Amino acid sequence: MLDTPEAVVEALRENDGLPHGLARTVTAEELVEAAEAFEKPDVLVTALLELMTAYEFTGEHRKSPVIFARILKLWDTTPESFSPYEAHHVFWRFKWVTTSLVQVPEIPLASIGGWIDQMRSRYEAADHAVQPVAAMRYHLAHHTGTGVADAYDLWATRSRTELSDCEACETRHHAWHRLTEGDDTAALAVWQPVLDREQECSEEPRMSQARALLPLLRAGRTDEARSHHLTGYRKVRGATGMQAEVGYHLEFCAHSRNEGRGLEILAENRPLFEAKGAPLDHLHFLTGTEVFLARLVDAGHDDTAVAGPPGRAWSAAELLTHVRAEAEPLAAAFDTRNGTTAVGDRRRARLALAPLLDEPLPLGLRATVAHTASVGAAPATLTPARTEIPDDFTVLVGEARRLARDGHPGDDRLWTRVAERLADATEPYDAILGPEDLLAAELAEHRAQRLWFKDRHTDGAAELDTAVQRYTRLDMPWHALAAKARSRAWTAAPGSRDDDGERTAPDRASIRTELDAMLREADELLTATPFDSEPLGEAEAAFGSDLRAERILSHLSLHYSVAFAAHQELHAALSRTEEDQEDQEGTGDLDTLTERFERSVDILRSEAARLGYPHQAANARQFRADLLARRGALADAEEELRAALQEIESAGRPWRRPRLAIHLAQLLLAQDRSQEATDLLHSAIADAVAHDDPTLPLGPTYLLLGHAATHLDDANGAVRHLSEAAARFDQAEDAGSAVEARLQLADVLARSGRQADAVAVLESALVDAPPTVDGHMLAQGRLTLGRGLRDLEEYVPAAEELLRLADTVAGWPEEDRGGVLTLVAAEAATTLALAERWEAADTAYERALGAHAEAPNPPLITMMMREFARLTLQTRDSEGTDTALEHLARADAVLATLPSGEEDFAVWYERGENHYRRARVLAEAGRFDEALPEAEAAIAAHDDGGERGELPRAEAVRIAALIEGNGLDRLSEAITRLTVASARCHQTGHPEAAAVLDALQQDLRTR
């Protein structure tokens, strides 16, 4: 009930603690009405100031000046009703009113100028310096585009005052001035303290992060642009008072070619289309939206569903028309009011700017709109190759066949074009190409190969079976046999993405038997139809002088399939446990499988060498290298792969290097030779770009690059590569791998101290994660998210995340839970305490204790208890010291239950920290006689830790000296204690700790 002034004041205090938004604003309006009922102008002043704050931070600039007029009237009539803080804010908010008046095109320019004149008069009458007035004159000049240079000089050359905008906001204005002058370099240099968070306020760095995005892209500083988008957007999402910044983030999405991200931003900010209380900011939002929508339409997504003003469905083209129709007259209204074209010119310049990047900048977030990206995010100096596509259909087919014989990846683009032109049904067919069934069979093989690279093995085998039937009808036994062998060998590979449900183990014994029969058939065929014999029919005749090569390649393809199946079978056997092997029937023992594998790769290698195809010998070496590596013979495996690369070189087929290079890079990573691995991976990508290879698995390749960069302590490189990996997995429609890449990316970000970036990535990655993602990996991601939110002081969402995770972990089998539930419950309890949600915190505390009883985790549980002691004393005043000490007693009890000789963690450290915290609790309660022995007990406990205990020991000495010197007034003893401890820190190599102790010693000496 708001029936007393005291109740209104208490309600105002509570409302002040809420986040800005509609709920806080509505309550502020109600509290003004309540305050008006009392003859208490001081309460009304407080209520009006709170309402003006709510309007300012929710973008209600039309209303703010009206409220300030009431405040100013009270200031003139009852100045004694204002506290010193409120009196200061009367003058501070003259600036708010100026910017609000500029925001509204209906306010005449003369009225704004008159208001600034009144501001100057008021400042001078109150003996305030007028630098803030000069700042307002500059902002007006910048807005209208008239007299900007002079106004800037008058502002920038004056010293700051207590009523100047905060340093961070002034830095933003200085940088923006440089930017509008066209000097990106100077602007970014000015902005750096804000972007580096050296200067912060309630609005910064989120406003600068949005405005600096395009200059950073233009400067090529894409890593920073990515980071500022991830962290900055989270802070402005859905905020009506930050709609201009949302517009800048949308503009960034257009220029970084992240259309999918832009769609998500539109969906999350639909209410901004109706937030018109700050017309100038609304124009900035509309302009950013228009830039993004125009990019979407230009990319051919006219009909894509987008989120627009609530109440109806929108396509990109429809919303673009709507936004343009609203923004154009709004910009014109400002220019009419100002008598210049400055506002319209800036808007037109934003709309005219072409995308700043040629390829999408990977953000590490899920993509809603897929991109058809080129092979490369290779070095910028490389120009992706494009296989030339002949116009003549006969030449096109002939070139596709030639590239296929060479194993050149460029054949993919040609076969695709062949299929497209046949589908037109208008292509004249030349008999020189052979029967039409021949081309149909070749296209079936091409489709099969594409499906194989997409891990759709079953569908690929079906296409090969179609090719076998056609080749058989065409009397092409070599081609039919090769296609049939590949079809059977592919079924030996597990993990097809086109299988429904859990795939059963392949019948490898049957596959082996069939392939052996095909080998015998090949021997008979070689006797009856040698490679050099005449064509068997019209189809083979179509190959002309290339027929011998076609037959040889089919022969080698058969041996490749046999070796591949033997590799798969031996690999599966090595992966199973001995117990699993006993349960398998018909697979043969390991020695037999090894013998078969070695024989098959030896035959493939020798036949390839005999027939003059060394790149096929390289395939044999790659099979052998893989199994050597799995058996731990890394040096031998490396030798095989390097020899294989040499054979590729001698064969003159550089386009076959990438996969071998990637395989070798994996071996090098396993040997902690990360730089060599990085070089190989980059060369693999460069080769794929140079030879137009769309089949190289770029997602896994960039994932490996990310791992290599992590091992090299190159956090920025790891972020780049893992972000690219996630984007490539998105393009390949491999949602599970994309999530796993993002989880790894978030881990790198979190471990490198970029918690806000990690949180943005995790919020994207953990939504609707597919069931293929490992549950424990998802749990670790949620734990990282909870911790990240807590580090960002977003305690309530952090606690909610940790509580959900605790519920998930509680459902795991007991053998999987271990101490995980204890960990999560303890962290949830501490986070709830940080959020001052004490009832929920106490419940989570008891849950953690219950989990600890089942699966002990002493370090975590005692840390939780110490944190509760600290936070209880800080925020639960009514419960006080005794409750804090009770928590510490429980922590002591946990340590007391440990068996002697416990080595799982440092008991000495835990015991020392308990004493240390108890000393601080007692000291804060003024119980110094009890506090000093606890501090000394902490020192003694940390002594037991040897070298590892030196730093916590020094901190315990510091607290003991403070208690002794300040609390007990025993300055001489405290100084002696610090002198001895400082000398010890120097001796043990901790000069920073010694410096802290010396500073305290000097402070005590001055007393």
Side-chain angles (χ1 to χ4, degrees):
M1 294 290 292
L2 301 176
D3 51 359
T4 66
E6 292 74 19
V8 173
V9 171
E10 180 58 31
L12 285 166
R13 185 178 294 112
E14 291 178 4
N15 201 44
D16 184 58
L18 296 177
H20 288 291
L22 181 61
R24 176 170 172 173
T25 301
V26 169
T27 300
E29 290 172 336
E30 293 171 350
L31 291 174
V32 167
E33 292 181 11
E36 289 172 332
F38 308 108
E39 294 296 327
K40 296 282 290 183
D42 56 333
V43 176
L44 181 57
V45 164
T46 303
L48 288 169
L49 286 169
E50 163 62 19
L51 179 56
M52 189 177 180
T53 299
Y55 284 156
E56 175 71 17
F57 287 96
T58 53
E60 292 289 353
H61 290 282
R62 293 181 183 276
K63 300 177 180 179
S64 187
V66 176
I67 299 302
F68 190 70
R70 295 183 63 186
I71 294 171
L72 206 55
K73 184 176 180 179
L74 288 167
W75 172 255
D76 288 337
T77 56
T78 60
E80 68 279 1
S81 301
F82 291 74
S83 70
Y85 171 83
E86 291 168 337
H88 173 82
H89 265 267
V90 169
F91 291 95
W92 184 273
R93 295 187 185 197
F94 270 95
K95 299 179 296 181
W96 288 11
V97 174
T98 304
T99 55
S100 292
L101 295 174
V102 171
Q103 281 273 349
V104 183
E106 295 87 352
I107 304 296
L109 211 58
S111 297
I112 303 174
W115 175 257
I116 296 175
D117 289 341
Q118 183 184 163
M119 177 182 173
R120 181 185 183 96
S121 299
R122 294 268 188 173
Y123 270 50
E124 290 176 337
D127 203 24
H128 290 304
V130 295
Q131 189 261 12
V133 179
M136 293 303 103
R137 294 199 190 282
Y138 164 71
H139 295 326
L140 180 59
H142 179 272
H143 171 69
T144 62
T146 55
V148 179
D150 290 342
Y152 181 76
D153 286 343
L154 285 171
W155 165 49
T157 55
R158 294 182 188 280
S159 299
R160 287 172 42 76
T161 76
E162 64 174 356
L163 287 170
S164 296
D165 283 346
C166 77
E167 191 173 14
C169 287
E170 285 210 338
T171 295
R172 178 182 75 247
H173 294 309
H174 284 298
W176 197 247
H177 178 76
R178 299 295 184 198
L179 196 64
T180 55
E181 289 184 324
D183 192 342
D184 284 352
T185 302
L188 291 172
V190 171
W191 245 323
Q192 209 59 49
V194 175
L195 297 178
D196 289 344
R197 305 186 77 92
E198 294 170 9
Q199 298 174 2
E200 294 183 273
C201 70
S202 61
E203 296 181 335
E204 290 295 349
R206 55 183 174 170
M207 293 181 75
S208 290
Q209 285 175 319
R211 286 164 166 74
L213 290 171
L214 296 196
L216 287 167
L217 285 184
R218 285 193 289 263
R221 293 161 60 176
T222 52
D223 289 345
E224 294 168 77
R226 176 196 299 110
S227 177
H228 289 309
H229 170 66
L230 292 177
T231 60
Y233 173 67
R234 287 189 72 252
K235 294 297 185 181
V236 302
R237 178 175 54 200
T240 55
M242 289 282 166
Q243 59 177 310
E245 284 65 38
V246 174
Y248 290 124
H249 282 283
L250 279 167
E251 195 170 3
F252 165 79
C253 291
H255 287 288
S256 64
R257 297 185 182 271
N258 277 284
E259 290 87 352
R261 173 64 165 169
L263 289 175
E264 291 171 358
I265 291 175
L266 279 180
E268 291 173 334
N269 292 277
R270 293 189 78 171
L272 298 190
F273 286 100
E274 298 178 326
K276 302 180 181 181
L280 186 58
D281 283 348
H282 190 59
L283 176 62
H284 289 317
F285 167 70
L286 292 174
T287 302
T289 301
E290 186 175 343
V291 170
F292 169 71
L293 291 170
R295 165 64 194 151
L296 204 61
V297 170
D298 288 345
H301 299 295
D302 309 54
D303 297 327
T304 296
V306 298
R312 58 159 289 187
W314 298 88
S315 70
E318 290 170 339
L319 184 57
L320 176 59
T321 301
H322 173 84
V323 167
R324 191 170 283 157
E326 183 179 354
E328 285 289 354
L330 183 54
F334 279 107
D335 284 344
T336 300
R337 189 269 304 271
N338 299 337
T340 67
T341 61
V343 173
D345 289 345
R346 292 182 194 123
R347 168 179 152 75
R348 285 183 285 274
R350 290 172 69 181
L351 294 171
L353 190 62
L356 297 174
L357 300 182
D358 294 329
E359 294 288 337
L361 173 65
L363 300 176
L365 305 173
R366 290 188 307 164
T368 304
V369 173
H371 297 285
T372 305
S374 69
V375 171
T381 54
L382 290 174
T383 301
R386 286 290 182 271
T387 303
E388 185 177 348
I389 301 178
D391 291 330
D392 183 274
F393 186 71
T394 302
V395 176
L396 173 63
V397 173
E399 186 65 6
R401 287 172 175 169
R402 182 187 71 79
L403 292 180
R405 279 192 296 275
D406 287 344
H408 194 293
D411 75 323
D412 178 82
R413 197 177 302 280
L414 298 189
W415 285 122
T416 300
R417 184 60 182 145
V418 168
E420 290 171 350
R421 291 179 66 170
L422 284 176
D424 290 342
T426 58
E427 193 61 56
Y429 193 85
D430 193 328
I432 196 174
L433 296 175
E436 292 189 41
D437 241 12
L438 170 58
L439 196 51
E442 291 170 311
L443 288 171
E445 285 195 284
H446 171 246
R447 290 193 298 273
Q449 192 74 6
R450 282 196 138 195
L451 291 166
W452 169 259
F453 283 123
K454 293 180 179 179
D455 290 336
R456 294 173 58 186
H457 305 165
T458 307
D459 289 346
E463 288 287 354
L464 284 174
D465 291 341
T466 298
V468 169
Q469 295 169 13
R470 293 183 183 276
Y471 284 136
T472 301
R473 287 200 300 268
L474 291 166
D475 196 16
M476 299 179 69
W478 282 111
H479 288 75
L481 192 59
K484 184 178 179 182
R486 271 190 292 155
S487 174
R488 294 305 292 135
W490 284 4
T491 60
S496 175
R497 290 177 61 199
D498 52 13
D499 290 324
D500 294 328
E502 185 176 351
R503 189 179 184 194
T504 57
D507 184 357
R508 292 195 172 93
S510 173
I511 295 168
R512 191 185 333 124
T513 299
E514 291 184 57
L515 288 173
D516 284 345
M518 291 182 211
L519 286 172
R520 292 191 293 272
E521 185 180 345
D523 289 340
E524 295 170 2
L525 182 59
L526 189 57
T527 301
T529 312
F531 299 138
D532 292 322
S533 63
E534 293 298 313
L536 296 178
E538 180 187 358
E540 280 203 334
F543 291 110
S545 61
D546 295 319
L547 177 59
R548 182 179 188 277
E550 288 282 332
R551 288 174 171 176
I552 289 174
L553 288 171
S554 295
H555 170 75
L556 292 175
S557 179
L558 168 63
H559 284 290
Y560 176 89
S561 297
V562 173
F564 175 82
H567 169 270
Q568 292 293 311
E569 189 169 12
L570 180 54
H571 174 273
L574 289 170
S575 300
R576 289 194 297 267
T577 63
E578 291 183 4
E579 182 180 351
D580 290 333
Q581 289 182 41
E582 292 172 3
D583 293 338
Q584 301 292 324
E585 296 181 2
T587 58
D589 61 32
L590 204 56
D591 290 339
T592 301
L593 295 178
T594 302
E595 181 183 349
R596 176 181 175 82
F597 168 75
E598 293 293 343
R599 183 173 65 253
S600 66
V601 295
D602 282 343
I603 292 172
L604 174 60
R605 185 175 169 190
S606 62
E607 282 294 277
R610 179 178 71 83
L611 296 168
Y613 288 86
H615 63 283
Q616 288 284 9
N619 289 333
R621 288 189 182 276
Q622 188 171 8
F623 286 142
R624 181 169 280 132
D626 181 60
L627 290 175
L628 283 168
R630 292 182 186 281
R631 285 172 160 157
L634 299 185
D636 293 338
E638 181 183 345
E639 184 179 347
E640 286 285 347
L641 288 174
R642 292 196 184 279
L645 281 167
Q646 187 56 51
E647 286 172 338
I648 291 294
E649 290 299 322
S650 62
R653 286 175 164 81
W655 51 84
R656 304 198 53 117
R657 285 190 302 236
R659 285 173 175 76
L660 283 168
I662 291 169
H663 195 165
L664 179 55
Q666 289 175 297
L667 281 183
L668 296 174
L669 278 173
Q671 299 174 68
D672 200 24
R673 294 158 64 184
S674 300
Q675 188 57 59
E676 293 175 74
T678 297
D679 295 341
L680 275 169
L681 292 167
H682 280 301
S683 72
I685 295 172
D687 275 339
V689 172
H691 299 291
D692 194 18
D693 185 355
T695 66
L696 188 74
L698 286 169
T701 305
Y702 280 106
L703 200 64
L704 287 172
L705 272 170
H707 294 163
T710 302
H711 294 160
L712 292 169
D713 294 326
D714 178 9
N716 286 336
V719 169
R720 271 195 306 277
H721 299 316
L722 292 172
S723 298
E724 184 71 46
R728 296 293 177 168
F729 284 127
D730 282 338
Q731 291 165 19
E733 299 180 358
D734 186 351
S737 295
V739 169
E740 291 174 6
R742 290 186 172 99
L743 292 176
Q744 293 178 47
L745 168 61
D747 182 63
V748 169
L749 290 166
R751 285 190 288 108
S752 60
R754 295 158 64 177
Q755 293 290 3
D757 297 48
V759 165
V761 171
L762 287 168
E763 287 179 335
S764 170
L766 293 172
V767 175
D768 300 326
T772 55
V773 181
D774 178 70
H776 290 80
M777 181 180 286
L778 286 174
Q780 181 60 53
R782 293 197 176 281
L783 179 60
T784 303
L785 175 57
R787 287 171 170 172
L789 290 166
R790 185 180 61 207
D791 288 348
L792 297 176
E793 299 184 2
E794 298 179 31
Y795 298 128
V796 173
E800 291 172 349
E801 192 65 46
L802 292 168
L803 289 172
R804 283 194 294 270
L805 178 57
D807 291 340
T808 299
V809 173
W812 288 357
E814 187 173 347
E815 61 271 18
D816 289 344
R817 282 203 305 268
V820 178
L821 181 57
T822 309
L823 179 152
V824 177
E827 295 211 19
T830 302
T831 306
L832 285 164
L834 287 165
E836 300 186 34
R837 302 292 179 89
W838 282 105
E839 185 175 347
D842 291 339
T843 301
Y845 184 100
E846 294 303 324
R847 183 180 192 177
L849 292 180
H852 173 71
E854 293 183 9
N857 198 329
L860 285 166
I861 215 72
T862 54
M863 183 186 298
M864 177 190 75
M865 291 167 172
R866 286 194 297 271
E867 275 296 279
F868 264 67
R870 180 179 71 86
L871 294 168
T872 292
L873 205 63
Q874 285 184 359
T875 61
R876 301 177 87 172
D877 297 335
S878 61
E879 300 190 20
T881 304
D882 290 342
T883 303
L885 292 173
E886 183 182 335
H887 287 300
L888 294 171
R890 298 179 83 170
D892 287 339
V894 170
L895 298 179
T897 62
L898 296 175
S900 59
E902 178 68 39
E903 296 181 354
D904 286 347
F905 72 105
V907 178
W908 60 267
Y909 175 80
E910 300 297 327
R911 188 174 293 116
E913 288 302 288
N914 285 358
H915 285 300
Y916 171 83
R917 181 54 56 194
R918 187 177 289 108
R920 297 201 61 162
V921 168
L922 290 167
E924 290 182 40
R927 294 159 61 176
F928 301 113
D929 286 332
E930 298 172 74
L932 183 59
E934 289 294 331
E936 291 176 330
I939 296 169
H942 289 310
D943 264 334
D944 294 340
E947 171 57 28
R948 291 188 299 159
E950 288 299 330
L951 286 178
R953 181 189 187 280
E955 170 60 14
V957 169
R958 186 182 74 85
I959 289 300
L962 284 169
I963 294 169
E964 201 166 29
N966 293 337
L968 298 174
D969 203 23
R970 289 156 44 180
L971 293 174
S972 178
E973 290 89 338
I975 290 169
T976 300
R977 184 190 297 277
L978 290 167
T979 302
V980 173
S982 174
R984 175 168 175 156
C985 286
H986 281 294
Q987 290 170 2
T988 55
H990 298 291
E992 296 86 355
V996 172
L997 298 178
D998 289 341
L1000 176 57
Q1001 181 196 92
Q1002 185 60 39
D1003 181 60
L1004 294 177
R1005 284 186 185 280
T1006 61
R1007 293 177 53 191

